[in-house]
Amino acid sequence: MERFEITLDARPAGAARRSTLCGVVASGNLEVLVELGQDPAACTVEVSTSADGFRDIWEAVLADFAERHPAGGLRISINDAGATPAVVSLRLAQAFEDSAGGAA
Amino acid sequence: MSAKRVSYFEASARARVAALVDPGSFTEFCPPAQRRTSPHLAQLDAPVAFDDGVVVGAATVDGKPVLIAAQEGQFNGGAVGEVHGAKIRGLLERAARERPAAVLLLVDSGGVRLHEANAGLIAISEIMRALMAAQAAGVPVFALVGGACGAFGGMGIVTRLCDEVIMSEEGRLGLSGPEVIETVKGVGEFDSRDRSLVWRVTGGKLRRGLGEATRLVDDDASAFRAAAVAALTHHRNAPADLASLKAAQAALTERRATHPDTRDGLEVWRTLGLAQPEAVPMLASDEFNRQLDALATEV
């Protein structure tokens, strides 16, 4: 297992966001927990992954996510069981979209 | 009916809960943000899940208050670890206090999480005790079985303690799983790669035919919901007192005599008197239920 935390500069998420969980910790899959953080101009991401030695790729995928989505003010936590970068990107996008879903 | 069919088999635990309960009625206990993850998995340096593979909470179904637990089969095969088990046990203890209309257990589990060994075994026995305490307090417990992991090991026993067992053909119920039996007794005893045989021996139709499952539904989340709604209105009661336990024991003895040395569901269909035993596996649940009910009324 490898664990690390990254703080990304990100545009403020703005509109009301809610805590959400997407995905399942299963082989080749991951879960993404979205919560509200402190700094509206930053997105913190805590990664716990079963695949050691891929931090560079994680940083690239997460930077890409922060560029595509106004994720500022969000605190993201990930439990990963060896998902590919494409799956990680899709799951992050899904969690981001889901976190905007209504006031519930 | 405009909504797209949602496969219960393929749905995640959270999607199953969402499809079963009244929209917007679900409140989760110990939600993922609380990070109640498994200390055992962490010690083994294995991936953890924020909900430890089970979703528990309160909701309404058809307007009636229920407590609900859903196991996530994709996380370690839905296996019961210490935290996972404590969440289910706590839910059942809450049921004994709060007396909801029912507890729904969405079982999808191979049994005890072997990484957690004794803690998982103890958790299972605690679940069983709490389940019976809830029943003793007058709260019926319904098991819903239709996921890829089925209901095996300790969760197979827990399922059989329930008042109602709602299954799809795809769901499976047993004690030792097919791979375990093959490993211990050899492929001649049970070929776990013969998927057709596996389902004929453990699948929902056989369990319904033998009376272990009380309702058989298609692999459709809305069909599971409809069955749960029906069970909330009228349900079977699991044997509770000595007399009913003895009656259940006698029925099992009689079943053994009715189906001696049976090795395949096909033999059970034949003995029960179904016209085309070999066609049973492909029957839609409605047609299967109709044929089974017709036999029951003939007798």
Side-chain angles (χ1 to χ4, degrees):
Chain A
M1 297 294 296
E2 187 169 333
R3 294 176 188 83
F4 50 89
E5 190 174 319
I6 297 171
T7 303
L8 301 153
D9 294 331
R11 284 164 288 140
R17 294 273 159 183
R18 59 167 186 162
S19 178
T20 187
L21 180 76
C22 279
V24 175
V25 185
S27 183
N29 205 341
L30 74 163
E31 68 177 357
V32 175
L33 175 64
V34 178
E35 295 166 286
L36 304 183
Q38 303 292 329
D39 182 357
C43 173
T44 62
V45 187
E46 199 185 323
V47 178
S48 176
T49 172
S50 63
D52 294 356
F54 291 91
R55 181 164 177 165
D56 291 355
I57 295 174
W58 276 101
E59 288 184 0
V61 169
L62 293 167
D64 180 63
F65 166 73
E67 216 163 274
R68 285 168 193 259
H69 304 279
L74 298 183
R75 176 186 174 208
I76 295 176
S77 307
I78 292 173
N79 282 321
D80 169 60
T84 62
V87 171
V88 175
S89 283
L90 284 168
R91 199 62 83 196
L92 282 165
Q94 181 193 10
F96 181 79
E97 193 176 305
D98 202 49
S99 73
Chain B
M1 296 296 281
S2 59
K4 198 167 136 248
R5 188 181 77 106
V6 175
S7 165
Y8 186 93
F9 186 84
E10 290 178 356
S12 67
R14 288 176 187 279
R16 285 175 189 158
V17 170
L20 271 164
V21 305
D22 299 339
S25 71
F26 181 66
T27 305
E28 184 167 357
F29 305 141
C30 310
Q34 291 184 5
R35 294 170 169 73
R36 293 175 188 262
T37 58
S38 163
H40 303 272
L41 292 177
Q43 211 164 37
L44 293 167
D45 214 26
V48 298
F50 291 126
D51 57 14
D52 204 34
V54 65
V55 182
V56 296
T60 62
V61 172
D62 201 27
K64 294 177 178 140
V66 299
L67 294 177
I68 184 166
Q71 296 181 296
E72 178 51 68
Q74 291 186 68
F75 178 66
N76 286 325
V80 178
E82 187 173 10
V83 174
H84 180 122
K87 287 172 77 174
I88 300 175
R89 171 200 169 176
L91 188 83
L92 289 160
E93 288 178 345
R94 188 184 188 113
R97 289 195 305 273
E98 292 187 353
R99 316 251 173 123
V103 180
L104 306 184
L105 297 182
L106 281 53
V107 179
D108 193 357
S109 177
V112 168
R113 189 183 295 168
L114 297 181
H115 316 66
E116 312 203 4
N118 294 356
L121 285 167
I122 292 167
I124 290 279
S125 54
E126 288 175 344
I127 291 170
M128 289 192 241
R129 178 183 291 204
L131 194 156
M132 288 188 278
Q135 289 172 324
V139 180
V141 184
F142 306 153
L144 287 75
V145 183
C149 298
F152 285 100
M155 286 311 294
I157 305 175
V158 168
T159 299
R160 289 287 284 119
L161 289 173
C162 291
D163 298 275
E164 289 263 347
V165 178
I166 300 164
M167 283 185 83
S168 63
E169 165 69 343
E170 286 78 359
R172 295 172 297 152
L173 171 60
L175 196 54
S176 294
E179 285 90 354
V180 176
I181 297 172
E182 183 181 322
T183 304
V184 175
K185 301 285 277 184
V187 71
E189 177 73 14
F190 200 77
D191 182 355
S192 68
R193 281 162 300 177
D194 184 345
R195 295 174 70 79
S196 177
L197 174 69
V198 167
W199 262 265
R200 288 200 305 272
V201 170
T202 63
K205 285 202 184 97
L206 185 75
R207 295 306 171 199
R208 174 73 186 87
L210 292 174
E212 293 162 345
T214 52
R215 294 163 199 266
L216 183 83
V217 298
D218 283 327
D219 173 38
D220 181 341
S222 64
F224 272 92
R225 177 181 153 93
V229 168
L232 280 165
T233 309
H234 181 76
H235 62 83
R236 183 188 72 169
N237 284 313
D241 54 24
L242 186 60
S244 58
L245 280 169
K246 280 186 169 168
Q249 177 79 42
L252 285 171
T253 308
E254 193 186 307
R255 189 177 90 182
R256 203 176 154 79
T258 312
H259 304 283
D261 299 324
T262 302
R263 303 188 59 81
D264 192 316
L266 292 175
E267 298 163 45
V268 175
W269 308 137
R270 203 168 289 124
T271 307
L272 289 176
L274 288 163
Q276 288 182 288
E278 63 289 344
V280 166
M282 296 310 291
L283 288 179
S285 61
D286 279 355
E287 176 58 21
F288 175 78
N289 287 329
R290 196 192 60 73
Q291 291 190 13
L292 213 55
D293 292 345
L295 287 173
T297 48
E298 274 170 31
V299 177

